[in-house]
Amino acid sequence: MPGKASLFDDFQLVASKAWKQQIQYELKGADYNETLVWDSPDGIRVKPFYHGDEDTVVNAVPSTTRGFSICQEIFVFDVPKSALRAVESLQRGADAIRFLLADDTCDVETLLRDFPFATAPASFRLAVASDTILQKLQQIAAQHQVVIACEIDPIRHLTQDGNWFAGIGDNFEWLSARIARYPNLSLLSVDATGYQNAGATIVQQLAYALSHMNEYLERTVESATEPTFHLAIGPNYFFEIAKIRALRMLYASLAELHGRPIGCRIAATPTRRNKTLYDYNVNMLRTTTECMAAIVGGADTVTNLPYDALYHKSNEFGERIARNQLLILKNESHFDVTANPADGSYYIETLTAQLAEKALALFKEIEAGGGFLAQLKEGTLQRKIRESAEKEQAAFDSGGEVLVGTNKYPNKADRMKDDLQLFPFVKTQPRKTLITPIIEKRLAEKSEQERLATES
């Protein structure tokens, strides 16, 4: 009501200086900075509290008012079964479907014949660069008057495989021509999940994703659709919220520099790096907080990782649990109701600004060194990720980085050898490559292999 006093008017404001004095008193002589202030792997000094007196950063994060979509990933092997799974997943709570194609032989007309384009978007991740698939998807998208996202990320393929897509000539010219040729397909995307899964710090992830995208903005024609960033979300809750917000800020600045619209879409999924084979139910706790961070940070689409994804083939139970985790966050926790829920948090706003500043400095360093591709060819980026990963691995091995059920409170009675449907460790395939690939590896792999070898 007009003129009504605020609920907080009866409370006296407490200055940051008074808080510090009280904290120092409670510490009984211990040093404030040594006891309560800690440094993140990115070199950010994290304080025990943040206050409006000194932490009033207001970040120009582009607003996200669209809410988030629950996405179901489907690897397409049997087309009729995959088509049925897509429809059933949407009926059971998913808002979007992402089809994963291993080659260009998929009958996409049959796959999408009964797909409800009027109520849900479909997207594709293509393991090959194929006009065969793109032509068919363009026809389907035009027929239904929708946009279908088709993730063809040549740089991601290079970082993962060590070589470019084969048989299409210049990958950038090929992609640029398809962006112009297929107006109903969204083809510009950056898959940055590999950087997190390989052990890169958050600042590195942001800078590499930005520089990765910059290569496309410089070498391809403008797309009529928003580009997409795919991010893996780690366990550092508030930092991961800030990571997504910082990426939106950084991309807006980069797009403006190139004279392009500042909007982008962000698709998020939990990282694999901290997931474990033993005591696998703990994975559900990890993915829940990681999905929460993605949602609060403003991701447009969230795809959860089933708790058993490391060692089981795709199965209805694991996928249903993963989808239900997101449904609880959406329909019971109502995380989709408030737009930009992190706005105004002194801590998150400060983290956002600091991460963006450090990532921008690293981005400029990469560009000054010849750009993303040049640094990949030299092996500089791979070396820096490897150094960060080794520090994190050493912390895990010494118990400083804790994964409950694995290097802390392990259940010695766990037996997994007879339950492995998938090989859950890094696979090596020696061959000639243009660059050294960026290797994704979980923290617990070595200890898990040792436990498997000693199972009776």
Side-chain angles (χ1 to χ4, degrees):
M1 294 176 59
K4 185 176 180 179
S6 169
L7 174 65
F8 299 104
D9 287 347
D10 292 335
F11 294 88
Q12 184 178 356
L13 293 176
V14 180
S16 60
K17 183 178 180 180
W19 278 110
K20 288 181 180 178
Q21 289 174 341
Q22 182 63 32
I23 292 172
Q24 191 65 62
Y25 171 78
E26 297 290 345
L27 287 173
K28 302 184 188 315
D31 185 86
Y32 175 89
N33 288 318
E34 291 185 4
T35 306
L36 297 179
V37 179
W38 57 277
D39 293 308
S40 79
D42 297 289
I44 291 176
R45 300 280 285 171
V46 181
K47 302 184 298 184
F49 78 100
Y50 289 76
H51 195 285
D53 286 355
E54 52 190 27
D55 303 295
T56 54
V57 176
V58 178
N59 297 303
V61 180
S63 179
T64 55
T65 58
R66 295 175 283 205
F68 76 97
S69 296
I70 298 173
C71 184
Q72 178 69 58
E73 280 191 348
I74 297 176
F75 179 82
V76 180
F77 178 73
D78 183 306
V79 171
K81 288 183 179 179
S82 296
L84 179 61
R85 279 185 59 203
V87 173
E88 290 179 344
S89 296
L90 293 171
Q91 292 172 344
R92 295 177 181 180
D95 302 312
I97 301 295
R98 185 178 184 225
F99 295 105
L100 313 181
L101 303 186
D103 53 43
D104 63 353
T105 62
C106 176
D107 181 2
V108 291
E109 292 99 334
T110 299
L111 181 67
L112 298 176
R113 181 174 297 148
D114 298 319
F115 192 86
F117 285 105
T119 57
S123 64
F124 286 78
R125 190 188 74 188
L126 308 181
V128 294
S130 167
D131 261 323
T132 303
I133 293 293
L134 295 182
Q135 288 173 359
K136 294 177 182 177
L137 289 177
Q138 167 61 29
Q139 294 171 358
I140 294 170
Q143 176 187 346
H144 291 276
Q145 298 182 329
V146 297
V147 172
I148 296 178
C150 297
E151 302 156 27
I152 300 177
D153 185 352
I155 296 177
R156 163 62 170 166
H157 189 273
L158 176 67
T159 62
Q160 188 177 41
D161 184 77
N163 294 306
W164 293 104
F165 283 123
I168 62 172
D170 185 297
N171 279 234
F172 293 103
E173 289 183 2
W174 186 92
L175 179 61
S176 190
R178 273 68 192 171
I179 290 173
R181 185 181 303 172
Y182 303 126
N184 288 82
L185 303 184
S186 178
L187 296 173
L188 194 57
S189 67
V190 162
D191 186 344
T193 58
Y195 308 136
Q196 206 288 335
N197 286 324
T201 67
I202 290 178
V203 167
Q204 287 173 335
Q205 294 169 49
L206 287 169
Y208 296 169
L210 196 66
S211 191
H212 186 152
M213 177 62 80
N214 191 50
E215 295 286 350
Y216 290 132
L217 297 184
E218 289 184 341
R219 298 166 185 260
T220 63
V221 298
E222 182 173 344
S223 173
T225 58
E226 291 181 325
T228 300
F229 287 92
H230 289 266
L231 299 180
I233 305 301
N236 197 337
Y237 183 70
F238 292 105
F239 274 71
E240 294 294 335
I241 293 172
K243 179 175 81 176
I244 296 174
R245 292 163 54 82
L247 181 59
R248 285 198 186 278
M249 288 175 53
L250 291 166
Y251 177 73
S253 297
L254 181 66
E256 190 173 22
L257 184 65
H258 284 278
R260 302 210 183 182
I262 65 171
C264 67
R265 297 191 68 83
I266 294 180
T269 190
T271 181
R272 286 178 173 264
R273 187 157 172 79
N274 66 343
K275 302 307 179 289
T276 57
L277 187 60
Y278 289 93
D279 211 348
Y280 48 75
N281 286 321
V282 181
N283 289 333
M284 283 187 276
L285 302 178
R286 297 176 182 130
T287 55
T288 297
T289 56
E290 289 158 5
C291 287
M292 286 172 61
I295 296 164
V296 176
D300 297 287
T301 302
V302 181
T303 306
N304 198 7
L305 185 70
Y307 74 97
D308 59 348
L310 299 181
Y311 64 93
H312 273 169
K313 294 179 181 179
S314 176
N315 62 89
E316 196 276 335
F317 181 77
E319 291 179 357
R320 179 165 62 88
I321 293 296
R323 190 168 56 245
N324 285 350
Q325 288 173 255
L326 290 171
L327 286 169
I328 289 172
L329 293 176
K330 190 168 193 174
N331 298 328
E332 296 187 23
S333 300
H334 305 294
F335 273 26
D336 64 329
V337 174
T338 303
N340 308 303
D343 283 357
S345 164
Y346 300 142
Y347 181 32
I348 295 176
E349 295 275 15
T350 302
L351 286 182
T352 301
Q354 291 176 317
L355 288 174
E357 181 181 1
K358 287 180 176 292
L360 182 59
L362 181 54
F363 168 79
K364 291 179 178 178
E365 181 182 315
I366 294 169
E367 295 306 305
F372 191 74
L373 293 177
Q375 299 246 306
L376 275 177
K377 185 176 181 180
E378 294 169 3
T380 303
L381 302 185
Q382 296 94 317
R383 174 177 54 81
K384 290 185 175 180
I385 292 177
R386 186 168 58 252
E387 290 171 353
S388 299
E390 288 172 352
K391 289 180 181 179
E392 187 180 22
Q393 187 69 56
F396 170 80
D397 293 341
S398 65
E401 179 83 14
V402 174
L403 292 183
V404 174
T406 301
N407 67 341
K408 191 77 169 179
Y409 311 120
N411 179 1
K412 300 296 185 180
D414 270 1
R415 295 291 182 272
M416 292 299 299
K417 184 182 294 185
D418 296 329
D419 205 16
L420 302 184
Q421 298 175 352
L422 302 173
F423 185 73
F425 308 114
V426 171
K427 298 177 182 178
T428 58
Q429 182 184 357
R431 53 194 162 74
K432 186 177 181 180
T433 59
L434 293 174
I435 68 164
T436 301
I438 294 174
I439 306 299
E440 301 177 29
K441 184 178 181 181
R442 294 182 298 108
L443 289 169
E445 290 200 15
K446 182 180 178 181
S447 64
E448 289 173 349
Q449 286 173 311
E450 292 172 349
R451 287 184 65 176
L452 284 171
T454 59
E455 280 190 15
S456 55

